Amino acid sequence: MTDPDTPLLAAAPNFRDFGGRPTLDGRRVRRGRLFRSELLLGLTPRDLQTLAGLDIGLVCDLRSPGERAHMSNEWPTGHAPEILALDIDAEMSAVQPDKWTRRLADPTFSATRAHAALIDNYRRMPASYAVDLRAVFERLSMPDAPNVLVHCAAGKDRTGFVSAMMLFALGVPHEQVLQDYLATGELFTYERLIATRLRTILHGKELPEHAYDSLRVLASVHLDFIDAALDTVRTGFGSIDAYLERECGLDPTRRELLQRNLLDD
């Protein structure tokens, strides 16, 4: 079995199994069923072999149509999964690395403004992803529910929110959900972004000297980001459970089916 906090792919260290977490009723999220990741790019032959062995049948792609058109995942030959494309609010540019170029070129886009932009984007996520989460829960509550990969470009913001909602739906306690969210900060680092992905994100352009502090914020993982989304859920819907049921279609019957598929007794 995979360790939920251990990366599996050398070229995509923010790929991981996010099962293994305990639930409030004493069960545990099944391992080998739920995976989350950054974009799968530059995979090694061994990475592709590992990926093939995970038998992932559904990919929830949280990127925008523009991001998907610009760059595709690499995938092992003969293992093409079902793709569920989950489009986001066009105004959520702070969580889309392909939109960072314009912001970072602005000399007034300070680290403080970058932080505020991410907070704003996280606050938009509950409304933006409610319908998409409904589709995810519907698919994963079916008897033939496949192993699933949730990913965006970096695997930290959009993926962080959707993965958190999936864990809450399975009954994982709040602190455990936050632990999963924060684990990304150890895997998707600013230093790695600078070393391996910066020119791709900037489409070959040079990063202005003033922009490095802002980029560090955009590449970061902080509790106040996910807290902004969760506060919006609680303020707008009363509780996370109410949001999941009323906005995401997770009624008691579907929730029971979902948990039956994805939890160990």
Side-chain angles (χ1 to χ4, degrees):
M1 288 295 186
T2 54
D3 184 326
D5 296 320
T6 300
L8 300 174
L9 306 180
N14 198 18
F15 179 100
R16 69 182 189 274
D17 184 334
F18 66 105
R21 303 281 173 184
T23 63
L24 290 165
D25 63 3
R27 292 183 286 178
R28 190 170 292 272
V29 180
R30 195 168 294 159
R31 295 189 183 182
R33 298 284 274 129
L34 301 176
F35 299 90
R36 53 175 293 174
S37 183
E38 60 191 280
L39 180 68
L40 301 180
L41 189 65
L43 300 185
T44 68
R46 183 167 184 176
D47 287 341
L48 290 168
Q49 183 179 16
T50 298
L51 195 57
L54 297 176
D55 192 28
I56 292 171
L58 176 67
V59 173
C60 298
D61 188 341
L62 308 180
R63 297 176 300 155
S64 68
E67 288 175 291
R68 291 193 290 270
H70 176 66
M71 199 169 295
S72 300
N73 275 326
E74 296 175 359
W75 206 261
T77 303
H79 292 79
E82 173 188 352
I83 305 295
L84 188 59
L86 309 179
D87 293 337
I88 63 167
D89 183 340
E91 295 185 23
M92 295 207 312
S93 59
V95 298
Q96 299 179 60
D98 71 325
K99 302 285 180 64
W100 289 355
T101 306
R102 179 178 56 82
R103 287 177 175 267
L104 293 171
D106 179 357
T108 69
F109 189 65
S110 63
T112 300
R113 283 188 61 192
H115 186 275
L118 277 171
I119 291 289
D120 173 72
N121 279 198
Y122 270 81
R123 286 176 177 155
R124 294 175 183 270
M125 287 183 186
S128 182
Y129 278 124
V131 172
D132 294 326
L133 281 166
R134 182 185 292 262
V136 173
F137 293 141
E138 181 177 0
R139 184 68 184 90
L140 295 182
S141 62
M142 294 178 179
D144 63 343
N147 299 341
V148 62
L149 169 65
V150 180
H151 86 90
C152 53
K156 69 182 188 70
D157 299 312
R158 293 168 283 184
T159 297
F161 174 75
V162 170
S163 298
M165 290 301 107
M166 292 172 70
L167 291 178
F168 280 124
L170 292 172
V172 174
H174 185 266
E175 288 306 315
Q176 287 286 327
V177 174
L178 296 186
Q179 283 181 25
D180 177 77
Y181 175 78
L182 290 174
T184 296
E186 301 173 9
L187 303 172
F188 184 86
T189 65
Y190 169 79
E191 291 74 18
R192 176 173 168 265
L193 175 67
I194 293 292
T196 65
R197 296 289 175 90
L198 183 60
R199 292 192 67 80
T200 300
I201 289 170
L202 298 180
H203 310 296
K205 298 179 181 179
E206 294 296 326
L207 184 68
E209 191 64 33
H210 71 265
Y212 281 92
D213 287 344
S214 301
L215 181 62
R216 186 180 291 275
V217 174
L218 292 176
S220 66
V221 176
H222 288 297
L223 275 180
D224 48 352
F225 297 153
I226 191 66
D227 280 346
L230 298 181
D231 287 346
T232 298
V233 168
R234 296 187 188 99
T235 300
F237 305 99
S239 69
I240 293 171
D241 284 340
Y243 166 75
L244 291 172
E245 181 170 354
R246 299 207 314 262
E247 302 301 311
C248 306
L250 196 68
D251 59 35
T253 299
R254 178 161 290 164
R255 192 167 195 165
E256 182 180 352
L257 292 171
L258 182 78
Q259 293 181 350
R260 185 183 304 168
N261 286 341
L262 297 175
L263 296 181
D264 287 326
D265 292 331

